[in-house]
Amino acid sequence: MKKVLVTGGAGYIGSHACLVLLENNVEVVVLDNLCNSSLESIKRVEKITGKNISFYNADLMKPEDIEEVLQKEKNIETVIHFAALKAVGESVAEPLKYYENNISGTINLLNAMEQHKIQNIVFSSSATVYGNAKTVPVDETAPTGPTNPYGQTKLMMEQILTDCSKAKNLNVTLLRYFNPAGAHNSGLIGEDPEYPNNLLPFVQQVAAGIRPKVMVFGDDYETPDGSGVRDYIHVMDLAEAHYAAILKMSEVKIYNVGTGVGYSVLEMIEAFKRISKQDVPYEVGPRREGDVGILTAEAKLIKEELGWSAKRDLDEMIQDSWRWQSQNPKGFRA
Ligand code: NAD
Ligand code: UFG
């Protein structure tokens, strides 16, 4: 049986990935300092799967914490590295916090992996590394140019991992996620932000009456209805991409993880209204600084090389988000 260390495994994407790993009989060890998550997500994954996770409340900023985990947990084959800070706006206001946590945390992890001879790592990168893409859909060879410190940390970590791969024969898979959304269809785990920065969690909270209206950030982009277009990917599809990745590790590989299909903000609001049967009031406001009009993935490479492609459509994504929201109005805090 494979044994995988999941950093950030209590978070939104990490918890769904742990679920997929357990369902595929992988032994899961989670390292998370719970700075943006709750232990409840781990308990619920255990409840859904009927399997146990070895959980460590540990901080990547503290090398001694990582060492303790790796001392106790022998025979880890692969690390899936989700742990990071991810709020774009906060990264602009507090860049050092982001460079410190994301980059130093990754370096500490890589040092510990070298010490313990762990040779495989799958890394959570982001489509944000493409910045203002000149043409869409973007493929993995498109120029990079992040527009904020969070995106810079992702690109720098890609570079650090690439250098380590060359120097140390580390197997590295860099997954550039597009826009993760949705939840597991049990309604037991999902995204739990106190104040949502992303579109779908915000729409969800408006539909639930927690917030009065959605602010549409601009309707003057060069898109069919003028609002921003993104490639939304179901978090369970994304989680499954990680399982596909750990089965086929090699020297550095970069894959887009998206569907190739784009939806606009206004289309997302309409779809949410239709599926939740709730009103979703909105107002069109100015563009959000740093946003691009349209960003969608060319996702052929991951299909060709890892045999993975997204299986779930937009309706399923919204149904699952709404189930999670309706069953857990206070998220994991209830
Ligand atoms: P999340 O905040 O829900 O999960 C991240 C987890 O990492 C949290 O549980 C947090 O407590 C933990 N963590 C952060 N710093 C840590 C540290 N120093 N030590 C130990 N644990 C630490 O975020 P998510 O949405 O699940 O994102 C997971 C990864 O995917 C992140 O690297 C993120 O940058 C990346 N990503 C997310 C999106 C998105 O829209 N959600 C898009 C592209 C990439
Ligand atoms: N939007 C609104 N109103 C909101 C929130 C978002 O109109 O309240 C719009 C945005 O302008 C954009 C779209 O909805 O057009 C999606 O915005 P999100 O904030 O949900 O997602 P982004 O595409 O801006 O960013 C996301 C992640 C980043 C990641 C990036 C990769 O948040 O972490 O995708 O493309 F880096």
Side-chain angles (χ1 to χ4, degrees):
M1 201 206 301
K2 276 186 179 293
K3 186 166 177 180
V4 172
L5 172 67
V6 182
T7 76
Y12 170 46
I13 305 168
S15 57
H16 289 79
C18 287
L19 193 157
V20 168
L21 294 173
L22 290 173
E23 281 177 340
N24 285 284
N25 296 319
V26 174
E27 199 177 333
V28 176
V29 178
V30 167
L31 181 167
D32 199 307
N33 66 0
L34 303 178
C35 69
N36 195 37
S37 54
S38 134
L39 192 56
E40 182 60 22
S41 66
I42 296 287
K43 291 186 182 149
R44 294 203 186 172
V45 171
E46 291 182 327
K47 183 173 167 189
I48 299 165
T49 58
K51 293 183 179 166
N52 291 329
I53 291 174
S54 278
F55 177 80
Y56 293 84
N57 187 338
D59 190 343
L60 289 180
M61 294 301 291
K62 296 181 183 155
E64 64 277 17
D65 278 13
I66 311 173
E67 184 55 31
E68 192 189 328
V69 175
L70 296 184
Q71 285 283 353
K72 286 194 181 143
E73 300 289 344
K74 302 288 179 209
N75 308 321
I76 288 174
E77 260 179 49
T78 302
V79 175
I80 306 183
H81 180 31
F82 292 104
L85 298 175
K86 64 162 185 178
V88 173
E90 190 190 40
S91 81
V92 176
E94 298 290 343
L96 293 180
K97 184 174 166 186
Y98 276 67
Y99 286 112
E100 203 161 38
N101 189 73
N102 294 1
I103 308 239
S104 302
T106 301
I107 292 173
N108 292 339
L109 176 67
L110 287 167
N111 272 323
M113 284 174 65
E114 189 180 348
Q115 285 290 314
H116 290 263
K117 302 192 169 42
I118 302 173
Q119 285 294 112
N120 302 300
I121 181 164
V122 177
F123 174 66
S124 299
S125 190
S126 167
T128 197
V129 299
Y130 295 117
N132 288 301
K134 293 221 164 38
T135 53
V136 289
V138 278
D139 70 21
E140 292 83 353
T141 63
T144 50
T147 56
N148 55 66
Y150 163 72
Q152 293 288 2
T153 70
K154 290 287 165 192
L155 194 58
M156 287 179 188
M157 290 184 282
E158 284 194 358
Q159 187 61 54
I160 292 169
L161 285 157
T162 304
D163 292 342
C164 289
S165 172
K166 285 185 194 138
K168 309 279 177 185
N169 292 324
L170 190 65
N171 296 319
V172 174
T173 303
L174 307 171
L175 298 180
R176 291 178 175 166
Y177 315 157
F178 280 66
N179 290 59
H184 185 254
N185 62 14
S186 60
L188 286 172
I189 56 169
E191 190 167 9
D192 181 28
E194 269 191 31
Y195 187 86
N197 293 305
N198 296 116
L199 179 67
L200 208 60
F202 206 97
V203 171
Q204 215 169 281
Q205 294 194 0
V206 172
I210 297 168
R211 302 189 189 279
K213 64 181 174 210
V214 181
M215 188 59 80
V216 175
F217 297 146
D219 67 352
D220 56 353
Y221 287 106
E222 281 184 34
T223 59
D225 65 22
S227 65
V229 169
R230 295 290 184 276
D231 188 331
Y232 296 91
I233 168 149
H234 196 297
V235 67
M236 284 302 294
D237 281 325
L238 179 56
E240 286 165 4
H242 292 78
Y243 181 62
I246 64 165
L247 297 181
K248 209 168 172 188
M249 299 293 306
S250 60
E251 81 287 8
V252 186
K253 290 283 186 181
I254 303 180
Y255 299 114
N256 284 341
V257 195
T259 65
V261 181
Y263 291 98
S264 73
V265 176
L266 296 174
E267 284 174 323
M268 294 296 282
I269 292 174
E270 284 311 315
F272 212 94
K273 269 191 196 169
R274 172 170 56 78
I275 288 165
S276 68
K277 301 189 174 54
Q278 303 295 313
D279 192 20
V280 181
Y282 70 86
E283 186 185 319
V284 176
R287 292 181 179 192
R288 181 171 64 180
E289 211 186 309
D291 270 0
V292 298
I294 176 163
L295 194 62
T296 56
E298 174 58 79
K300 268 201 304 229
L301 193 63
I302 187 166
K303 185 167 187 195
E304 282 165 13
E305 298 194 358
L306 298 186
W308 174 92
S309 60
K311 294 195 214 98
R312 297 158 180 91
D313 65 10
L314 184 70
D315 281 18
E316 196 171 345
M317 194 147 55
I318 295 179
Q319 275 155 9
D320 291 338
S321 304
W322 183 236
R323 188 180 303 107
W324 156 251
Q325 175 67 51
S326 312
Q327 291 181 16
N328 307 271
K330 292 190 175 145
F332 293 119
R333 288 175 296 281

